[in-house]
Amino acid sequence: MLSPSRIEIFKKHTALQRSLSLPPCIMSRPVAICCLLSALYMWTLCNAQSDSGSPAIQLRLAGEKRKHYEGRVEVFYNGEWGTVCDDDFSIYAARVVCKELGFVDAESWSPSAKYGRGEGRIWLDNVHCTGGEKSLAHCQSNGFGVSDCKHSEDVGVVCTQKRIPGFKFIRNQANSEEGLTVQVEDVRIRATYSHRKRIPITDGFLEVKDGGKWRQICNEEWTEMNSRVICGMYGFPGEKRVNTRPYKLLAKRRKKNYWGFSVNCTGNEADLSDCKLGREIELKGNHTCEQGMPVVVSCVPGRAFAPSVSAGFRKAYRVEQPLVRLRGGAMIGEGRVEVLKNGEWGTVCDDNWNIRAATVVCRELGFGSAKEALTGARLGQGMGPVHMNEVECSGFEKSLTECYFNRDALGCSHEEDAAVKCNVPAMGFNKRLRLSGGRNPYEGRVEVLAEKNGALVWGTVCSDSWGTMEAMVVCRQLGLGFASHAFQETYYWQGDASADAVVMSGVRCSGTELTVDQCLHHGKHIECPKGGGRFSAGVSCTQTAPDLVLNAPVVEQTTYLEDRPMYALQCAHEEHCLSSTADKADPTSYRRLLRFSSQIHNNGQSDFRPRAAHHSWIWHECHRHYHSMEVFTHYDLLSLNGTKVAEGHKASFCLEDTHCDEGIQKRYECANFGAQGITVGCSDTYRHDIDCQWIDITDLKPGDYIFQVVINPNYEVAESDYSNNIMKCRSRYDGQRIWTYNCHIGGSLSSETEETFPGLLTNQLSYR
């Protein structure tokens, strides 16, 4: 029989379990309580939560990550790392995991070993949480080590990127030998006073925020690989050695507050939170780190962000033809990954795509490490071949093309195109520009910070020549994505009255600039005939945009000649679809027309809609239809030196979904004055036998020519990528027949190949 004192211990332990929602047996230190196994009168050693509140377990996120705040949930218990089974797991359990790791909340969770299969024990199964528990150990489960799962059922979570302010990470269960990762609230490079005005900040003391306080790290065990990771987080592709002498003098004069751990990075991590926690450092006040000093890091900026070209990271940001590029991204340093192979650009399949491979891409292009590796064509579908599949990188490659990959991309489609979001330096671009008076943060009158009489003042931008390209640069500079519309009148947005004066005029952007300042403009000599006020420039921005691409093979396969009498071309003549010589042509004469079909696909992330609203569409009596865009495409024949010898144009008399990819519903139809547009994943086909779907070559002499088609030539509608709006073909005309061959989309070939096709390299028109 049990003694009364032992029965009392058992009752207290049972009450403690119920009050804390503990599983039957919990391990913790330093208090040990004996637990009774009923009926058998046998004892087993079991640890309960200690009075000090230290957690019974420790957690980490591991596996094949695509961002540093996600991964496979791993638990350190009883001296061993293990996983958690996905049976009965829920978003409430994910919240407990993320909060225990110091994140504000959980975004989602994933079953079936999405982040790869773990190793060792499966510590927890059938986990039930309410969401309010302080630790995953407090949730109900089968008990530690009691599971019928396999590692194919390992659960993973995605946490919010934001950290809990003032969160104190308790690291008393696992040391560096067990692979506990670095968990801190924040990281910063603290510039010295003389360097604080430099942009970007590349050098300074490294500080981590833990428990709500900024702390330095002792440099006694600091390595260049650690600095490489820090620089990557701050948007820099590389690190360099630093002269610590001036910093040592500064450090001696400052009060130091060291962090209690060292850091072990291998150098291929995308974030400090992926590095292993080093040994614990004994904190001895002023005698801490006596043989060293606070860590100082010095980073090398990419070419685009360097104060001067000579200071740029030349190897990472090649001046010559790059082998890798980003397309379709809304922000600087993000986009679909495309690689050059045999003179042709192609995409990367997302099989095995992870943050390590994404980081190689980012560093190669002069950015820092990757914030996120995106899959499933999240930043739009590419064109052409899929060049790489199942990419595996060590993280130290100079180029993605040096990584191991499977050349066989069978089964990969553009629906699986890989993309990246890179860390970029804090340049302060968004502090020199603002939107004022809009209904939401994504729209308003454009106001810039300019120097006037020796002082910085806010003012407006003249709307003369203001268009989509200029709006694109504004939205990117503010980090608001793509432009949705450019406005030349903004009287309906009440801006800041003190900023009414025009401080910038004559703005002309190519669309590639990082800031409006980099665009062509009048400088200090303002010229704005309309004045500011109601005619100030404005924009509206959006996170997604359409991307129209012409199907080049369809054009090549459907080209032919037709001789048509003038009397059958009266409507087309009224709509200016014939060459100028037709104005004086005899009604009984014939025009020779180069006819072809065009299929225009929307590869973007939002629908392509005409800018003009229903009420402003133009009715054409002759053809009995409305034009939603007066000029939708330009058709041209160019000589081999790039001179235009024949032209045509196609008004957008009807934008509709002719054909959609599998699983996508048609949304736009022209019948009955319906809504016009092209849905994402759908295409609009203009058949060869409709009016104006031609080039009038009646006056053309036999010879070799370039056949060119440009979609959305006046940038009436904003798109994520204008470089692919142009198509070029080789053409040979012998006076009776025409051959069309080598058709390709702009930007699909290497720059060397593209130079053999004169004309527009993108759809940027000559007046820009």
Side-chain angles (χ1 to χ4, degrees):
M1 293 293 289
L2 293 174
S3 67
S5 61
R6 288 188 173 179
I7 292 173
E8 188 62 29
I9 290 172
F10 174 72
K11 286 180 178 179
K12 286 181 179 178
H13 175 54
T14 306
L16 180 65
Q17 278 186 316
R18 287 172 180 164
S19 65
L20 296 176
S21 302
L22 296 176
C25 186
I26 296 288
M27 286 291 192
S28 183
R29 287 186 284 193
V31 180
I33 297 179
C34 289
C35 304
L36 180 65
L37 298 178
S38 59
L40 297 175
Y41 294 100
M42 293 179 66
W43 296 87
T44 184
L45 189 62
C46 181
N47 291 335
Q49 185 83 351
S50 71
D51 293 336
S52 65
S54 60
I57 58 172
Q58 296 232 255
L59 303 179
R60 70 181 179 189
L61 300 181
E64 298 161 9
K65 300 181 180 186
R66 292 186 177 135
K67 44 196 174 196
H68 61 83
Y69 42 93
E70 69 173 0
R72 180 177 61 246
V73 179
E74 294 194 350
V75 179
F76 185 73
Y77 172 76
N78 200 23
E80 185 180 351
W81 284 103
T83 63
V84 178
C85 182
D86 60 16
D87 291 350
D88 296 337
F89 203 84
S90 67
I91 189 64
Y92 301 109
R95 283 176 179 166
V96 173
V97 168
C98 290
K99 287 180 179 178
E100 190 169 356
L101 286 168
F103 297 99
V104 169
D105 203 352
E107 286 184 4
S108 61
W109 65 278
S110 301
S112 308
K114 177 185 174 182
Y115 301 101
R117 300 184 183 194
E119 296 177 348
R121 302 281 295 273
I122 297 175
W123 279 128
L124 293 171
D125 186 13
N126 298 111
V127 178
H128 292 268
C129 303
T130 64
E133 292 87 351
K134 297 292 184 186
S135 169
L136 193 65
H138 298 174
C139 299
Q140 292 183 1
S141 70
N142 293 349
F144 281 94
V146 181
S147 172
D148 58 357
C149 295
K150 298 178 180 177
H151 280 298
S152 58
E153 300 171 81
D154 286 345
V155 77
V157 299
V158 181
C159 303
T160 57
Q161 196 170 357
K162 194 174 181 183
R163 294 283 193 176
I164 298 171
F167 188 87
K168 180 68 178 174
F169 294 90
I170 300 170
R171 309 169 182 85
N172 62 351
Q173 290 290 313
N175 58 31
S176 59
E177 290 176 8
E178 282 81 32
L180 192 64
T181 53
V182 176
Q183 299 293 334
V184 290
E185 190 182 329
D186 202 358
V187 185
R188 72 181 181 188
I189 297 174
R190 186 180 179 187
T192 59
Y193 185 77
S194 59
H195 289 177
R196 279 180 191 169
K197 291 187 179 180
R198 287 189 182 179
I199 296 176
I201 292 174
T202 56
D203 306 74
F205 290 105
L206 176 67
E207 296 186 338
V208 295
K209 196 176 188 180
D210 191 19
K213 294 181 179 179
W214 287 104
R215 305 170 192 273
Q216 300 83 39
I217 298 177
C218 178
N219 74 342
E220 287 176 5
E221 297 178 22
W222 190 259
T223 66
E224 284 188 13
M225 292 297 100
N226 294 349
S227 293
R228 174 181 163 87
V229 174
I230 296 297
C231 289
M233 289 173 63
Y234 273 84
F236 304 114
E239 78 294 336
K240 64 181 179 182
R241 290 182 180 273
V242 60
N243 178 12
T244 58
R245 189 175 297 170
Y247 289 96
K248 206 166 204 173
L249 294 171
L250 276 172
K252 282 182 178 177
R253 287 186 244 142
R254 286 181 177 175
K255 184 180 178 183
K256 290 175 281 296
N257 183 16
Y258 281 105
W259 193 50
F261 296 88
S262 60
V263 174
N264 290 331
C265 300
T266 61
N268 60 6
E269 297 89 349
D271 193 88
L272 185 64
S273 62
D274 296 323
C275 296
K276 295 291 189 288
L277 194 68
R279 71 175 181 86
E280 190 166 355
I281 293 172
E282 188 180 353
L283 300 177
K284 301 179 289 185
N286 292 333
H287 299 290
T288 307
C289 195
E290 280 188 304
Q291 303 302 312
M293 60 175 281
V295 165
V296 176
V297 295
S298 180
C299 306
V300 184
R303 180 186 170 91
F305 305 101
S308 64
V309 175
S310 60
F313 194 79
R314 288 177 175 272
K315 289 182 181 177
Y317 203 89
R318 295 187 178 93
V319 179
E320 66 268 17
Q321 171 76 66
L323 299 177
V324 178
R325 70 183 184 186
L326 301 182
R327 281 288 186 269
M331 311 293 183
I332 301 166
E334 67 177 51
R336 178 179 60 254
V337 180
E338 296 186 354
V339 294
L340 186 65
K341 180 183 176 185
N342 298 330
E344 185 176 13
W345 287 98
T347 61
V348 177
C349 188
D350 63 11
D351 293 351
N352 298 347
W353 186 247
N354 60 26
I355 202 161
R356 189 175 290 181
T359 292
V360 171
V361 170
C362 292
R363 289 186 187 274
E364 178 179 5
L365 294 174
F367 305 113
S369 53
K371 284 193 288 191
E372 187 173 355
L374 299 161
T375 58
R378 284 264 306 279
L379 296 184
Q381 296 184 25
M383 307 174 300
V386 178
H387 281 327
M388 301 177 79
N389 183 25
E390 296 175 352
V391 178
E392 291 182 24
C393 302
S394 70
F396 294 103
E397 294 86 354
K398 296 294 184 186
S399 171
L400 185 70
T401 56
E402 296 175 11
C403 298
Y404 168 83
F405 65 94
N406 186 349
R407 287 174 169 79
D408 183 5
L410 288 174
C412 282
S413 69
H414 286 302
E415 293 177 357
E416 300 169 85
D417 284 344
V420 298
K421 289 186 178 180
C422 305
N423 288 311
V424 297
M427 302 294 291
F429 291 153
N430 57 345
K431 296 176 183 177
R432 306 203 297 263
L433 189 71
R434 69 186 183 190
L435 301 183
S436 182
R439 296 163 297 179
N440 58 61
Y442 284 82
E443 67 176 20
R445 184 176 79 175
V446 177
E447 295 178 359
V448 296
L449 195 60
E451 190 175 330
K452 197 171 184 181
N453 300 325
L456 289 174
V457 296
W458 287 99
T460 57
V461 179
C462 183
S463 64
D464 285 356
S465 77
W466 187 259
T468 303
M469 279 301 181
E470 290 71 36
M472 280 284 194
V473 175
V474 166
C475 293
R476 188 187 302 118
Q477 183 176 346
L478 289 169
L480 298 178
F482 302 108
S484 176
H485 293 290
F487 299 94
Q488 293 190 338
E489 290 189 36
T490 53
Y491 60 88
Y492 35 79
W493 287 329
Q494 192 64 44
D496 188 337
S498 65
D500 281 344
V502 176
V503 295
M504 183 178 278
S505 64
V507 181
R508 294 284 181 94
C509 303
S510 68
T512 59
E513 297 88 352
L514 299 180
T515 68
V516 176
D517 294 341
Q518 295 174 1
C519 300
L520 290 172
H521 59 92
H522 288 154
K524 295 180 180 179
H525 304 287
I526 306 300
E527 185 182 334
C528 190
K530 291 181 181 177
R534 63 174 292 170
F535 295 108
S536 299
V539 300
S540 61
C541 306
T542 177
Q543 290 293 312
T544 58
D547 182 19
L548 296 189
V549 182
L550 185 66
N551 189 326
V554 168
V555 174
E556 189 169 324
Q557 294 159 15
T558 58
T559 306
Y560 67 97
L561 295 179
E562 181 193 12
D563 290 340
R564 196 168 178 84
M566 271 298 297
Y567 62 76
L569 294 169
Q570 290 308 306
C571 284
H573 193 199
E574 286 181 21
E575 294 185 13
H576 309 291
C577 295
L578 301 175
S579 65
S580 57
T581 57
D583 296 342
K584 299 176 182 178
D586 188 280
T588 59
S589 64
Y590 282 75
R591 308 299 296 180
R592 178 157 291 179
L593 307 175
L594 170 60
R595 283 189 174 274
F596 55 92
S597 296
S598 61
Q599 185 185 66
I600 299 165
H601 196 270
N602 185 357
N603 273 7
Q605 296 175 276
S606 64
D607 296 352
F608 184 94
R609 301 294 310 277
R611 182 180 176 184
H614 263 74
H615 67 272
S616 60
W617 291 355
I618 300 171
W619 173 258
H620 282 251
E621 184 65 32
C622 193
H623 279 133
R624 307 286 299 172
H625 59 236
Y626 283 95
H627 285 191
S628 59
M629 290 176 67
E630 194 55 37
V631 179
F632 180 53
T633 50
H634 278 165
Y635 306 141
D636 298 306
L637 267 184
L638 312 173
S639 67
L640 295 184
N641 66 9
T643 305
K644 191 182 295 185
V645 294
E647 64 181 331
H649 87 275
K650 181 70 189 167
S652 164
F653 72 83
C654 171
L655 281 172
E656 67 176 4
D657 297 327
T658 309
H659 172 78
C660 292
D661 297 341
E662 187 177 350
I664 297 176
Q665 194 75 29
K666 293 181 180 180
R667 297 180 60 186
Y668 302 106
E669 190 175 7
C670 298
N672 303 317
F673 196 40
Q676 293 193 24
I678 307 176
T679 305
V680 175
C682 297
S683 56
D684 186 8
T685 302
Y686 292 87
R687 285 173 50 87
H688 57 83
D689 53 2
I690 64 176
D691 260 6
C692 298
Q693 191 61 35
W694 62 58
I695 298 177
D696 183 355
I697 63 166
T698 305
D699 309 309
L700 190 69
K701 295 177 182 179
D704 289 319
Y705 298 96
I706 302 294
F707 175 28
Q708 178 176 277
V709 178
V710 186
I711 308 168
N712 190 18
N714 298 333
Y715 311 109
E716 282 189 49
V717 179
E719 297 185 47
S720 61
D721 186 359
Y722 286 110
S723 66
N724 58 18
N725 281 31
I726 187 167
M727 185 218 68
K728 294 179 188 176
C729 307
R730 292 278 191 183
S731 289
R732 173 165 290 182
Y733 177 52
D734 68 357
Q736 298 299 323
R737 296 167 296 176
I738 196 161
W739 292 266
T740 304
Y741 56 99
N742 287 355
C743 293
H744 67 280
I745 299 299
S748 63
L749 303 180
S750 67
S751 56
E752 290 85 356
T753 308
E754 201 65 75
E755 285 170 5
T756 65
F757 287 80
L760 295 173
L761 290 179
T762 68
N763 75 340
Q764 292 171 14
L765 302 182
S766 56
Y767 66 81
R768 290 210 170 259

